[in-house]
Amino acid sequence: MGFHKANTNNDDRKDDPLAKSNGGNMRIKQIRSGNALRVVIINGFLSETVADVSDWLEIVNRSFPEATVLHCDWDASNIAKFRGLAQPNPKHDGWLRSLAKVTTNVVSQKTYLPKSVLAESAKQWRSAMNNAAIAGNDLTNYIETNTGKYILMGHSLGARVIFNCLNSLKYKDYVLGAFLFGGAVGVNETWGNIANNNPKLRIFNCYSQNDLVLKSLYRVGTLFSNTPVGLSPIVLSNKNRVHNIDMSVAVNGHTDYKKAAVGNLVHTYINTPR
């Protein structure tokens, strides 16, 4: 609903989709060229320097087949930064699932790893959470200096990057949609202010009750202080601004979002009048 008409007339920003951020810890790479609508995909914890983001296209292509696609890489930590933890799977998703199992057992007092390993896990998670704020500000700078209308899609801590980006935007009509998948950011954050300050923005919160990472690692990393949007709806007084999509039937875990079934659900909600 309006996403495909990215009018950039009278836009004095530069037209350079490969422009670099102004310092910080965010890096932009173009995945494919397309029209003036730019979809920015942002991965989460342990994704730092992971170049293959083709799994996102299962979601992007369903609703935005002609858009330019950009990858926002940021200092989200990676497997190489862990010390003393045996590597069960060299791939990002396999490692994250294993880490979720570990932390779930820790939370339920079934600890079977040394405290030093658990401490390193929590340290890297907290570091990535802090870096998400820096990356969000960097992404804001990028958007405000590069022409085009933007759709932001973030998974896990990538949704936290989006929150920080939206929270710091000065120009309110550049971002048309924010899609949060298994978001590792608090449900009681200032989402209402973001919606009020960005009148053209629509927020799509995709969550699942089957997310062990958010039920364990997130809770430990935030000292049990809040509930993430990846487990619960965002409640706003203006229901037309936020679309909460319970994907518990289709999404079996934290890394199960990037697939055709999710792309189809998102496409349905985008085209459903509110």
Side-chain angles (χ1 to χ4, degrees):
M1 298 176 63
F3 284 154
H4 300 280
K5 296 180 180 179
N7 188 347
T8 58
N9 294 336
N10 302 317
D11 192 333
D12 59 1
R13 292 173 294 165
K14 60 188 175 184
D15 186 10
D16 182 8
L18 297 181
K20 302 208 180 280
S21 63
N22 298 319
N25 68 1
M26 190 274 288
R27 300 157 291 276
I28 291 288
K29 178 182 178 181
Q30 182 170 293
I31 304 303
R32 75 167 185 227
S33 60
N35 59 28
L37 183 66
R38 295 180 176 176
V39 176
V40 182
I41 54 179
I42 314 166
N43 278 322
F45 188 46
L46 299 182
S47 68
E48 184 178 340
T49 71
V50 174
D52 184 5
V53 292
S54 58
D55 51 356
W56 274 103
L57 298 181
E58 291 277 12
I59 298 174
V60 175
N61 287 345
R62 185 68 179 90
S63 297
F64 309 105
E66 299 180 357
T68 297
V69 180
L70 306 175
H71 172 211
C72 171
D73 181 36
W74 61 288
D75 292 356
S77 190
N78 54 36
I79 296 169
K81 293 185 178 181
F82 278 79
R83 298 191 298 268
L85 204 54
Q87 184 171 319
N89 190 320
K91 300 191 74 171
H92 165 232
D93 283 357
W95 180 258
L96 196 53
R97 281 192 293 269
S98 298
L99 188 58
K101 183 177 181 180
V102 168
T103 51
T104 299
N105 284 334
V106 171
V107 170
S108 62
Q109 299 183 340
K110 298 177 182 177
T111 307
Y112 59 87
L113 284 179
K115 290 183 179 179
S116 59
V117 174
L118 302 174
E120 184 65 23
S121 302
K123 174 185 174 182
Q124 292 296 333
W125 176 265
R126 287 193 297 268
S127 176
M129 288 182 68
N130 292 333
N131 287 340
I134 301 172
N137 289 331
D138 289 345
L139 182 57
T140 294
N141 291 335
Y142 178 88
I143 290 171
E144 291 185 342
T145 54
N146 288 275
T147 187
K149 300 297 185 181
Y150 290 82
I151 300 293
L152 307 182
M153 292 188 173
H155 173 247
S156 186
L157 284 177
R160 198 177 193 90
V161 173
I162 291 176
F163 168 78
N164 285 293
C165 171
L166 296 175
N167 217 24
S168 60
L169 275 174
K170 297 177 182 177
Y171 301 95
K172 307 305 181 184
D173 63 344
Y174 292 163
V175 178
L176 303 179
F179 293 79
L180 318 173
F181 299 94
V185 58
V187 72
N188 293 322
E189 292 285 1
T190 56
W191 297 105
N193 290 342
I194 287 174
N196 291 335
N197 292 334
N198 296 271
K200 294 185 180 180
L201 173 70
R202 295 166 67 198
I203 300 170
F204 295 80
N205 178 35
C206 305
Y207 64 97
S208 171
Q209 292 300 319
N210 304 317
D211 195 325
L212 292 181
V213 170
L214 295 182
K215 288 182 177 180
S216 54
L217 186 60
Y218 182 89
R219 293 175 64 203
V220 173
T222 58
L223 301 178
F224 305 89
S225 63
N226 61 66
T227 299
V229 299
L231 291 176
S232 180
I234 298 171
V235 179
L236 298 183
S237 57
N238 187 343
K239 296 181 180 180
N240 292 327
R241 304 301 306 285
V242 61
H243 305 254
N244 290 297
I245 312 175
D246 186 349
M247 294 190 168
S248 300
V249 174
V251 174
N252 295 318
H254 193 61
T255 62
D256 196 35
Y257 280 95
K258 300 169 193 172
K259 58 185 183 181
V262 170
N264 290 334
L265 278 171
V266 167
H267 183 73
T268 298
Y269 271 80
I270 288 175
N271 293 283
T272 300
R274 294 292 297 270

